[in-house]
Amino acid sequence: MSHHVLLAGTSASLAGRLAAHRLAAPDRPSLLLLLAARSRPTAPGPDTATLRTFVLDSAPGTAPDDPGDRLRVLRLDPDALAGALAAETADEVWCVTPGLDPDPVRAACADSAVAGALLAALPALRTARYVHVGPSGAEGKDRAAPPRPYRELERATVESCLAHGAAWRVLRTPPVIDAAAPLLGECPAGPHHLLGALCSVRSEITDRVPDWFQHHPLRVAGLGGRGLPLLPAGRAAEWLWDAAGPPGLPDGFATLPQPVPTPLEELLPRAGAVYGIDLRPVTGRDGFTAAERLLDLRLDLVRSAAVRFGGSAADGAAEALSVAAQWELFGAVRENQDRAATQTPPQGPTRTVEVAGAPLTLFEVGTARTADQAPLVLINALGQGHGFLDRLARRLAAHRRVVSWQVRGTDPDLPPWDIDHQLDDLRAVLGLTGADRFHLVGWCTGAKIATAYQRRRPGDVASLVFLNATFKQDGLWGGMDTPYERNLEAVCRALARRPEKAERMVGLLAPGSAGGGEKTGPGQDAGVLGVLSQALAEEVRRPFLAPEKLLRYARQLVDLWTLDTAQQAPAVEVPVLFVGSEFDAISSPARARAAARCFPDARYAELAGAGHYAPHDRSAPVAELITEFVRAPERITREVAHPEIRWGVEAPGQEHNPAREAAS
């Protein structure tokens, strides 16, 4: 008789490997795997075909039949799980909620939604046996216990199973490391945070200076007396399968043994070598460069997940992963990180339409998840090409339909193109989408255009997002200009008075080197993080290539500075997200913070170590901020709490940083 099993979880890695073990069991069950995980822009989750292949490839041994005939796979949002369960029955249910999302608050929310839906459906499922898998936490000062919601889930599991007469087992597992995790859209706590930090810092720096790491080591502090347990996911799944035991096993709890931790002082240089980074442990952070401070921030989660040495050894600790196995596993993770990086959607198609008697180029990528899902409309900076926003658009496309267009007004075949013309172009683009409401995302000068449009047609706009916004305005917020803004204003106003000077000023202010090592404040030096990405070398010169282009660009800016956004902002009733950068040497972060205080429902996030081109250089965290904001603006500061993101509009150094506070 077939044994019908339902396995639902938030981790494709662990749930998939457990499904493989259950599928290969002698009773030859039919199995439904429900991956209930919300895909993130930083790491899009697998589709059902990829997950199915992963499960079948992970099955231990060989089966006499085709196990694929007994496997169904569904992938859905955690909030949709209850509806999917309504049509199912299962003799045996596995709930796999190990808290693997990099953000602990978001992880707890998703895991609670999955476990709650399964427990609520127990009577209708007619389940005889229930297995709950969650994160472990040993008693004692040397180990950190999991967040309280996970212990509450365990209590709810036991109570529900007792109430409905189902046999139960509660299993606890330490964080795992899985070479397949990058391809499955996961970054489990501990080892993967380490490898993810190294991968992201290396990518961000070599995008600017490809051979930089051949000449520059990175110092790392705060490693002494700490280590990371390395538990391969395949081994964890095997142990969990054994701990669940046969159907007749008495109800109860079981905790997997945690491997003996490997000291971070040994682990980091080894992992760094895999990424071509010379990592050097030091005792203090004095004199850290911007690049070293960025890596230090991204390693905060690693230090918080590490085990302190010096306490009593845990009973039943497993043998540490060998050095040779570490090299092999780290190399496999990096290889799959590189593969995953190529899996973002390709650049979307372009189409040209006629608007106001002249051609207008549209860029579109992604699709709406539901018929009523509002598109994201990216508003580029005046005079700029789409290259600045291409990476961001492709990351956002995994979750939403994304629309943009080539801003107009610097080409000599058009009449003068003022603010009203820009707003008309935006209205035409929105009309071409066929949607009724939109989330407007304005970069640089696009923020003022987005605000003006919201005041013109408030019913069209669901929310506003401002990226590295410039709110420069005649007669307001004086003294907040960056050096670049002061120079640009002088040139633009001079050209407005004496247009014949355009010939002499071409190329004078192309900001290709404006951020390169430029000091943006007392003691602040961006170093290599201020060097322009090589991919943007041509894009930044677009408005400065010819006298006529420069003249028209200058007139557009002078016109934009007359727009009174401060007067418009208090009437904006939709949620607003500001995203600024610590090292923005083009648009004043101080002015953006001042502008944020004018909007009734605004929140401000600053990216540590980032510059003006953060939508390109930091496309992953920027896309995550946008995606989570438009999904649930009221929860954004809790659900996106990375150490490199500082929340608030307070003076520099006083920002609220939930992740930092939690780690301390």
Side-chain angles (χ1 to χ4, degrees):
M1 179 177 177
S2 295
H3 196 72
H4 300 286
V5 179
L6 187 152
L7 195 153
T10 54
S11 164
S13 168
L14 201 53
R17 292 189 181 277
L18 282 168
H21 274 277
R22 191 65 191 88
L23 201 62
D27 57 354
R28 300 176 63 248
S30 60
L31 188 144
L32 170 61
L33 172 59
L34 293 174
L35 177 62
R38 184 172 287 115
S39 180
R40 297 176 293 112
T42 48
D47 56 28
T48 55
T50 300
L51 184 56
R52 179 183 178 85
T53 300
F54 173 68
V55 172
L56 296 177
D57 289 347
S58 302
T62 57
D65 65 338
D66 179 6
D69 292 341
R70 297 182 278 111
L71 174 65
R72 284 193 297 146
V73 178
L74 292 176
R75 189 182 186 284
L76 66 168
D77 189 278
D79 298 332
L81 182 59
L85 293 173
E88 301 294 337
T89 60
D91 301 324
E92 180 181 323
V93 171
W94 284 64
C95 175
V96 185
T97 53
L100 295 189
D101 191 298
D103 184 87
V105 174
R106 192 167 53 201
C109 289
D111 289 341
S112 296
V114 170
L118 287 171
L119 294 175
L122 267 182
L125 289 170
R126 289 178 262 170
T127 298
R129 185 169 188 255
Y130 190 96
V131 181
H132 175 90
V133 179
S136 66
E139 283 83 17
K141 63 180 180 180
D142 300 328
R143 310 272 179 85
R148 182 176 298 173
Y150 289 99
R151 291 298 173 253
E152 293 174 353
L153 288 183
E154 291 180 354
R155 287 193 290 271
T157 296
V158 174
E159 291 171 0
S160 295
C161 289
L162 291 175
H164 300 296
W168 59 271
R169 296 285 288 169
V170 172
L171 311 180
R172 299 168 177 170
T173 176
V176 299
I177 179 170
D178 193 335
L183 298 177
L184 299 172
E186 292 186 5
C187 185
H192 278 285
H193 283 169
L194 164 61
L195 302 180
L198 296 179
C199 180
S200 62
V201 169
R202 184 183 188 280
S203 175
E204 193 166 329
I205 289 177
T206 56
D207 192 49
R208 295 167 163 88
V209 184
D211 64 347
W212 193 84
F213 284 108
Q214 296 178 20
H215 312 286
H216 299 86
L218 288 180
R219 293 167 293 178
V220 186
L223 309 182
R226 298 170 183 258
L228 281 181
L230 302 176
L231 176 60
R235 184 183 301 175
E238 182 180 348
W239 288 352
L240 286 168
W241 169 246
D242 291 341
L249 194 71
D251 299 343
F253 295 82
T255 300
L256 298 195
Q258 179 165 262
V260 173
T262 301
L264 284 174
E265 289 179 311
E266 299 175 12
L267 202 60
L268 257 76
R270 193 173 298 144
V274 171
Y275 290 85
I277 304 175
D278 181 5
L279 293 180
R280 300 184 180 180
V282 295
T283 55
R285 296 175 174 83
D286 291 344
F288 266 21
T289 65
E292 289 168 332
R293 287 190 284 112
L294 179 62
L295 178 60
D296 188 63
L297 284 171
R298 291 181 179 172
L299 291 177
D300 261 8
L301 295 175
V302 178
R303 286 185 284 262
S304 65
V307 175
R308 290 185 179 275
F309 294 117
S312 57
D315 294 335
E319 183 179 348
L321 197 65
S322 70
V323 172
Q326 291 178 31
W327 281 104
E328 181 179 359
L329 189 52
F330 293 169
V333 170
R334 183 189 169 178
E335 181 180 344
N336 284 334
Q337 286 172 333
D338 293 341
R339 289 176 60 193
T342 67
Q343 293 180 355
T344 54
Q347 183 174 353
T350 63
R351 60 179 171 133
T352 301
V353 296
E354 186 172 298
V355 175
L360 184 145
T361 303
L362 265 67
F363 306 91
E364 299 175 87
V365 64
T367 57
R369 293 287 186 88
T370 61
D372 61 345
Q373 190 182 61
L376 292 167
V377 179
L378 307 187
I379 307 174
N380 208 346
L382 294 176
Q384 307 301 323
H386 195 261
F388 294 104
L389 302 178
D390 178 59
R391 283 186 183 177
L392 176 63
R394 284 185 285 146
R395 286 194 179 274
L396 292 169
H399 304 265
R400 296 253 171 180
R401 182 183 178 193
V402 183
V403 181
S404 187
W405 77 99
Q406 178 57 56
V407 292
R408 303 193 289 180
T410 57
D411 293 331
D413 55 349
L414 287 176
W417 218 252
D418 59 16
I419 295 168
D420 285 336
H421 285 92
Q422 300 294 341
L423 294 174
D424 290 342
D425 279 355
L426 174 53
R427 176 58 188 155
V429 169
L430 299 182
L432 290 168
T433 67
D436 295 325
R437 299 197 80 203
F438 316 89
H439 301 282
L440 300 185
V441 181
W443 175 58
C444 192
T445 55
K448 294 191 81 171
I449 301 297
T451 304
Y453 185 86
Q454 196 278 337
R455 297 314 309 133
R456 176 181 284 191
R457 298 183 63 91
D460 290 0
V461 181
S463 72
L464 295 170
V465 179
F466 302 144
L467 309 176
N468 300 98
T470 175
F471 282 92
K472 186 174 176 62
Q473 182 172 319
D474 291 343
L476 188 64
W477 296 314
M480 293 184 178
D481 287 357
T482 65
Y484 180 79
E485 285 175 312
R486 288 195 293 271
N487 294 335
L488 181 64
E489 180 179 14
V491 169
C492 290
R493 296 201 185 279
L495 288 175
R497 295 189 302 269
R498 301 282 302 275
E500 69 275 9
K501 289 187 175 183
E503 184 77 38
R504 295 171 52 192
M505 294 184 176
V506 168
L508 183 63
L509 279 177
S513 60
E518 180 177 344
K519 293 185 181 298
T520 57
Q524 294 183 327
D525 190 342
V528 69
L529 297 182
V531 176
L532 183 72
S533 165
Q534 293 190 345
L536 301 179
E538 296 300 320
E539 292 285 352
V540 297
R541 288 189 279 273
R542 182 182 288 263
F544 306 93
L545 291 175
E548 184 65 21
K549 279 183 173 287
L550 176 59
L551 181 58
R552 286 169 171 268
Y553 179 58
R555 287 170 173 166
Q556 284 185 324
L557 291 178
V558 171
D559 180 49
L560 187 71
W561 295 334
T562 66
L563 186 61
D564 192 348
T565 305
Q567 187 274 331
Q568 294 176 330
V572 174
E573 296 180 351
V574 298
V576 180
L577 171 66
F578 282 73
V579 181
S581 298
E582 177 186 6
F583 292 133
D584 193 338
I586 306 298
S587 296
S588 167
R591 185 185 291 109
R593 284 192 290 267
R597 297 187 182 97
C598 299
F599 289 83
D601 187 15
R603 61 283 289 152
Y604 188 98
E606 184 172 279
L607 297 170
H612 186 65
Y613 306 106
H616 176 89
D617 300 330
R618 298 278 178 88
S619 60
V622 172
E624 184 173 9
L625 281 164
I626 294 171
T627 302
E628 295 299 330
F629 172 70
V630 300
R631 182 178 64 85
E634 71 282 357
R635 299 204 301 263
I636 181 67
T637 59
R638 299 193 305 274
E639 293 197 2
V640 184
H642 305 312
E644 67 186 277
I645 297 176
R646 303 179 181 124
W647 286 102
V649 294
E650 294 82 0
Q654 303 298 317
E655 298 87 346
H656 172 53
N657 189 331
R660 271 281 194 194
E661 293 172 7
S664 62

